[in-house]
Amino acid sequence: RKNSHKIIGSRSFSSNPKDVSFLGNLCINLCSKNRIGTVIKHIPGHGLSKLDSHKNKPTIYKNKKYLTKNDFNVFKSCKSPFAMTAHVVFNSYDNKNVATHSKKIIKNIIRKFINFKGILISDDISMKSLQYGLEENAIKSLNAGCNLVLHCNGKMKEMKRLAKVIPNIDKFTQKKTSQFYNFLS
């Protein structure tokens, strides 16, 4: 998209929602036929971001009708076992929380509207778009509805701290993980 941050550029299939759906599903289906798991990202959309969420917190101000038609809708037909959340504020849905920390967005958009039934993974909780400390970012992500939390900066001290506060994996995530292992074999 013309008005997106340059980091979106080649990380997106297209600026046309129909092309995104077609190409995304083509990739998912080809990977699935070859027993490769896929992660759709960044759900419910990241294409309108004018800031790089690795460094800043993007806020998208488009109205609900526009977002539903152009951004959220492209994920509806995706049948991936995993999805990664967007560290983006969708002002018309939740003007305080990025999607990763928003119960409203995860429940009403990702789980209900998009109808995503798989394992929902947070994007990296050490990114600058999240405003809290690592432990709080992790707990907020899980409380909002993420099933797993990613910590990707490779700092072992931080990982050890997080391991102490992250609860055990819930039954839903255990079940979905088992189904995925069966898919691989």
Side-chain angles (χ1 to χ4, degrees):
R1 293 184 173 161
K2 293 177 192 171
N3 294 324
S4 297
H5 189 277
K6 65 183 177 184
I7 198 162
I8 302 297
S10 64
R11 299 175 81 193
S12 173
F13 287 123
S14 172
S15 60
N16 180 317
K18 289 181 182 177
D19 291 343
V20 172
S21 286
F22 174 78
L23 293 170
N25 282 310
L26 182 67
C27 286
I28 290 168
N29 292 336
L30 286 171
C31 286
S32 182
K33 284 179 185 173
N34 290 289
R35 291 194 177 354
I36 299 170
T38 54
V39 180
I40 53 176
K41 61 182 204 172
H42 293 89
I43 199 168
H46 211 303
L48 293 171
S49 300
K50 294 182 194 282
L51 298 172
D52 177 355
S53 61
H54 295 91
K55 300 174 184 173
N56 299 290
K57 180 169 61 173
T59 299
I60 295 172
Y61 294 97
K62 290 286 188 182
N63 64 46
K64 290 180 180 184
K65 184 177 180 182
Y66 180 92
L67 289 168
T68 300
K69 180 181 177 189
N70 295 286
D71 290 71
F72 304 165
N73 209 37
V74 300
F75 291 103
K76 281 188 85 144
S77 64
C78 295
K79 302 300 178 216
S80 176
F82 305 98
M84 180 185 287
T85 58
H87 291 339
V88 174
V89 172
F90 292 94
N91 196 61
S92 59
Y93 286 92
D94 184 340
N95 63 4
K96 292 181 175 68
N97 296 297
V98 295
T100 304
H101 287 168
S102 175
K103 288 179 186 181
K104 293 176 194 173
I105 291 174
I106 290 176
K107 180 182 176 189
N108 298 324
I109 304 304
I110 296 172
R111 294 298 188 185
K112 286 187 180 173
F113 176 75
I114 294 171
N115 199 29
F116 179 70
K117 302 287 186 201
I119 295 175
L120 188 61
I121 306 167
S122 77
D123 201 343
D124 181 6
I125 60 165
S126 65
M127 290 169 59
K128 303 287 188 255
S129 53
L130 301 182
Q131 62 196 46
Y132 307 101
L134 285 175
E135 292 91 340
E136 192 168 353
N137 283 335
I139 297 302
K140 282 182 147 312
S141 300
L142 294 168
N143 287 343
C146 290
N147 305 109
L148 299 174
V149 173
L150 286 183
H151 175 265
C152 304
N153 69 17
K155 296 179 182 175
M156 189 55 72
K157 267 187 174 176
E158 291 179 2
M159 290 182 215
K160 287 178 180 179
R161 277 192 356 237
L162 282 170
K164 291 178 183 175
V165 299
I166 300 294
N168 291 331
I169 294 175
D170 62 26
K171 295 213 182 294
F172 171 85
T173 308
Q174 288 175 16
K175 177 183 172 187
K176 290 293 183 177
T177 303
S178 294
Q179 289 171 351
F180 179 67
Y181 287 135
N182 289 336
F183 158 81
L184 292 175
S185 44

